[in-house]
């Protein structure tokens, strides 16, 4: 049995390299987090006003219509994000994995990885240009093909704004999720694919019985990352609609930002952040409990 104290004494030089990492994490992650938890119980404007008010911020929050609108919107974003990220990148990864030409396969890998190196703000501004009103690319295209009646102020109408934001990054393939699925497929033993051929499986049967069960760990990870990313979504809504029209597209993270930095209600915005943290923690625990890893398949 390993003696932890002796092990640390023997390898102390290696662990010493972790000290700067812990210092950075403590300074820029943990200290601000616990400070925000503390400030959620205060009426605080970020400067000279600091009055302890107990749970008043949370009472106000759960009677805040804007917060409920933001939670409804983030529910739509999260559900649509999960559906998209658990299907489209997986299908693309499977198709690329089974490309017989190595040159074509490598070219497709590069093509789908390129979006990772493009700043997100550039992508959002590009889609803002696509969705622009009279002179937007989408409306110009619809007019060109004789579908003038389909044109909209896509980001300016309450019925279309939230769906327009969801459609950003179409076809939703390029990025880290595609790579995670592809890595999971590449880790499957080639012998299993040989057995599937001998059993006479077609492509659909192979996907359902072999590939999907063996990338379950990737599915679990991507679901967690998608939930976290969607609930924390901020930049896309800020750039495209700033939460409008009205509260149609506002998200909790954007509401936190505007409350804290536009109205100087830092205590209230800290309460919003704490509630979001609790929601994310609960959803992550539920995901870990009910979705098995690949190694745990019976």
């Amino acid at each position: 049995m390993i003696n932890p104290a002796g092990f640390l004494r023997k390898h102390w030089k290696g662990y010493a390299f972790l000290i700067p990492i812990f210092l950075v994490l403590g300074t820029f992650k943990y200290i601000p987090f616990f400070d925000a938890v503390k400030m959620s119980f205060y009426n605080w404007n970020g400067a000279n006003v600091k009055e302890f008010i107990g749970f008043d911020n949370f009472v106000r929050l759960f009677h805040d219509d804007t917060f409920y609108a933001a939670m409804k919107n983030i529910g739509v974003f999260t559900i649509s994000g999960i559906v998209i990220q658990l299907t489209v990148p997986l299908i693309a990864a499977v198709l690329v994995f089974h490309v017989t030409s190595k040159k074509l396969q490598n070219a497709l890998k590069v093509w789908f990885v390129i979006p990772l190196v493009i700043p997100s703000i550039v992508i959002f501004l590009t889609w803002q240009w696509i969705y622009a009103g009279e002179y937007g690319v989408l409306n110009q295209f619809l007019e060109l093909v004789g579908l003038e009646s389909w044109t909209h102020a896509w980001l300016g109408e309450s019925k279309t704004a939230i769906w327009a934001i969801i459609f950003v990054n179409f076809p939703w393939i390029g990025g880290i999720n595609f790579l995670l699925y592809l890595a999971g497929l590449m880790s499957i033993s080639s012998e299993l694919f040989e057995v599937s051929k001998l059993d006479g499986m077609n492509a659909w049967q192979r996907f359902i019985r072999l590939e999907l069960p063996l990338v379950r760990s990737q599915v679990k990870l991507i679901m967690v990352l998608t939930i976290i990313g969607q609930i924390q979504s901020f930049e896309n809504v800020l750039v495209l609609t700033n939460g409008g029209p009205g509260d149609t597209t506002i998200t909790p993270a954007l509401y936190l930002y505007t409350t804290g930095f536009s109205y100087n209600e830092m205590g209230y915005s800290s309460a919003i952040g704490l509630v979001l943290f609790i929601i994310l923690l609960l959803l992550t625990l539920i995901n870990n409990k009910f979705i098995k890893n690949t190694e745990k398949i019976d």
Side-chain angles (χ1 to χ4, degrees):
M1 185 174 179
I2 298 175
N3 182 0
F7 184 82
L8 288 174
R9 281 196 299 269
K10 183 178 180 181
H11 301 282
W12 70 270
K13 291 182 180 179
Y15 286 98
F17 284 100
L18 296 177
I19 294 176
I21 297 175
F22 286 126
L23 289 175
V24 171
L25 284 174
T27 303
F28 297 104
K29 293 288 186 179
Y30 298 119
I31 293 176
F33 169 74
F34 288 111
D35 193 47
V37 172
K38 174 185 174 183
M39 288 300 106
S40 66
F41 298 98
Y42 283 79
N43 175 25
W44 180 46
N45 68 351
N48 56 344
V49 176
K50 185 177 178 182
E51 176 189 2
F52 181 78
I53 56 174
F55 289 94
D56 286 2
N57 282 328
F58 298 96
V59 173
R60 173 187 169 188
L61 181 62
F62 290 109
H63 290 84
D64 190 336
D65 292 337
T66 302
F67 179 72
Y68 282 111
M71 293 303 298
K72 177 183 176 182
N73 294 336
I74 210 61
V76 175
F77 283 132
T78 302
I79 293 171
S80 60
I82 290 172
V83 172
I84 290 169
Q85 295 305 325
L86 295 188
T87 55
V88 181
L90 176 58
I91 294 170
V94 171
L95 294 175
V96 170
F97 178 72
H98 289 290
V99 171
T100 54
S101 171
K102 287 297 179 183
K103 288 185 178 180
L104 177 58
Q105 188 183 76
N106 291 333
L108 290 171
K109 290 177 185 177
V110 172
W111 182 259
F112 290 138
V113 168
I114 286 176
L116 283 173
V117 300
I118 301 176
S120 57
I121 187 67
V122 174
I123 296 173
F124 299 145
L125 289 174
T126 300
W127 279 92
Q128 187 181 57
W129 170 60
I130 292 172
Y131 285 136
E134 183 179 355
Y135 300 104
V137 174
L138 181 55
N139 283 340
Q140 288 286 316
F141 173 76
L142 292 173
E143 292 178 3
L144 183 65
V145 297
L147 297 173
E148 293 89 350
S149 61
W150 289 21
T151 59
H152 289 275
W154 299 98
L155 297 173
E157 297 181 17
S158 58
K159 292 182 179 180
T160 59
I162 193 167
W163 303 110
I165 294 175
I166 290 171
F167 207 79
V168 168
N169 282 331
F170 178 84
W172 310 293
I173 294 175
I176 191 66
N177 293 344
F178 168 79
L179 292 179
L180 288 172
Y181 284 129
L182 188 60
L185 292 168
M186 293 174 67
S187 67
I188 300 174
S189 173
S190 59
E191 295 177 356
L192 294 176
F193 289 105
E194 293 296 330
V195 171
S196 69
K197 288 182 181 179
L198 294 175
D199 288 343
M201 290 186 186
N202 58 35
W204 175 250
Q205 291 172 330
R206 183 187 63 213
F207 174 71
I208 294 297
R209 298 179 184 178
L210 174 63
E211 293 165 344
L212 186 57
L214 294 178
V215 295
R216 192 174 294 182
S217 293
Q218 283 75 21
V219 170
K220 181 176 182 178
L221 174 61
I222 288 171
M223 181 173 286
V224 171
L225 293 177
T226 301
I227 291 172
I228 293 173
Q230 291 296 331
I231 292 181
Q232 291 182 338
S233 60
F234 166 75
E235 299 95 337
N236 56 342
V237 179
L238 178 65
V239 172
L240 293 171
T241 64
N242 196 29
D247 293 332
T248 305
T249 60
I250 194 168
T251 63
L254 180 59
Y255 188 42
L256 182 156
Y257 170 80
T258 55
T259 301
F261 293 97
S262 297
Y263 301 104
N264 294 324
E265 295 186 81
M266 290 293 185
Y268 189 52
S269 65
S270 296
I272 297 173
L274 181 58
V275 170
L276 288 182
F277 167 76
I278 294 171
I279 292 172
L280 278 173
L281 182 62
L282 291 175
L283 290 176
T284 302
L285 291 174
I286 292 170
N287 181 75
N288 288 336
K289 181 176 178 61
F290 290 103
I291 299 182
K292 296 180 181 179
N293 289 321
T294 299
E295 296 77 15
K296 295 182 180 180
I297 294 178
D298 296 328

